[in-house]
Amino acid sequence: ETGVTQTPRHLVMGMTNKKSLKCEQHLGHNAMYWYKQSAKKPLELMFVYNFKEQTENNSVPSRFSPECPNSSHLFLHLHTLQPEDSALYLCASSQEGSSYNSPLHFGNGTRLTVT
Amino acid sequence: DQQVKQNSPSLSVQEGRISILNCDYTNSMFDYFLWYKKYPAEGPTFLISISSIKDKNEDGRFTVFLNKSAKHLSLHIVPSQPGDSAVYFCAASVSSSGTYKYIFGTGTRLKVLA
């Protein structure tokens, strides 16, 4: 399997539930990202992990909790979400270097609905 | 404050003609610019990029132009094909603490009419 894989593709959860989104990249990249896409808004960067270390937390509420156990896997743990958190959550990876940058490679996303 | 702007939410073009998608940015520290294409129910896929040291990059039917003084870039697709119908996102990146941050525009929906 190649590229960036996200599971599940669709998720419906209540506000009191706890769920996790999973992302796996098979590209040998060293950086992984979580983005949120809401209707009529630009993709919003949530978290960045570089060599498994979190290097960016873009003022994301604590009800979203990322986990990066290794450079190929990234999770987003969700708890006590709000209906306005309903969105498409996209995982991406890239190869970061000191003198170059590479394009982001995205997964197909998880469509999250909070009821 | 939106640092990357795509002011046209939609564009319709006849098959075979040129499609021009525009993007403006405000941060002069951006040094790498990208275009992504997104079909429904799929993630964005990388299309073409340009470094800030260049003003043009071409790949087949796709050409990206960068005008640094105007803080403007554009994507030209010629000839346009029905399969090009998708949402196109412009993105810009800047290095922050050794990590590159990618900032995206809101997208332009392109419809190529057969």
Side-chain angles (χ1 to χ4, degrees), chain B residues 25-86:
Chain B
Y25 62 95
T26 57
N27 188 344
S28 56
M29 298 298 292
F30 287 142
D31 57 6
Y32 185 55
F33 302 88
L34 311 92
W35 283 95
Y36 282 81
K37 179 167 74 171
K38 186 179 184 301
Y39 293 120
E42 293 183 13
T45 54
F46 170 69
L47 201 54
I48 192 170
S49 64
I50 187 167
S51 163
S52 60
I53 61 173
K54 294 187 173 182
D55 55 19
K56 177 182 174 181
N57 188 25
E58 193 171 347
D59 183 2
R61 296 185 298 114
F62 303 92
T63 304
V64 56
F65 294 92
L66 176 62
N67 182 335
K68 286 191 290 294
S69 60
K71 295 193 179 68
H72 177 84
L73 69 156
S74 61
L75 174 68
H76 292 212
I77 307 173
V78 56
S80 301
Q81 299 173 353
D84 296 328
S85 298

Side-chain angles (χ1 to χ4, degrees), chain A residues 36-55:
Chain A
K36 174 184 177 183
Q37 186 183 23
S38 305
K40 295 192 172 31
K41 285 188 175 181
L43 274 72
E44 299 172 54
L45 177 64
M46 299 176 74
F47 301 104
V48 182
Y49 277 82
N50 197 328
F51 292 103
K52 302 187 300 175
E53 298 295 322
Q54 188 180 130
T55 57

Side-chain angles (χ1 to χ4, degrees), chain A residues 21-40:
Chain A
L21 309 185
K22 179 183 174 183
C23 176
E24 185 174 358
Q25 60 99 359
H26 307 272
L27 300 168
H29 288 163
N30 58 12
M32 296 188 77
Y33 306 73
W34 280 116
Y35 277 86
K36 174 184 177 183
Q37 186 183 23
S38 305
K40 295 192 172 31

Side-chain angles (χ1 to χ4, degrees), chain A residues 42-90:
Chain A
L43 274 72
E44 299 172 54
L45 177 64
M46 299 176 74
F47 301 104
V48 182
Y49 277 82
N50 197 328
F51 292 103
K52 302 187 300 175
E53 298 295 322
Q54 188 180 130
T55 57
E56 188 81 25
N57 176 337
N58 214 26
S59 303
V60 181
S62 59
R63 57 186 185 270
F64 295 91
S65 173
E67 179 191 357
C68 187
N70 55 61
S71 57
S72 299
H73 293 86
L74 185 65
F75 295 90
L76 188 62
H77 303 299
L78 316 170
H79 66 97
T80 58
L81 294 193
Q82 306 297 312
E84 58 264 29
D85 296 322
S86 299
L88 180 68
Y89 288 85
L90 290 160

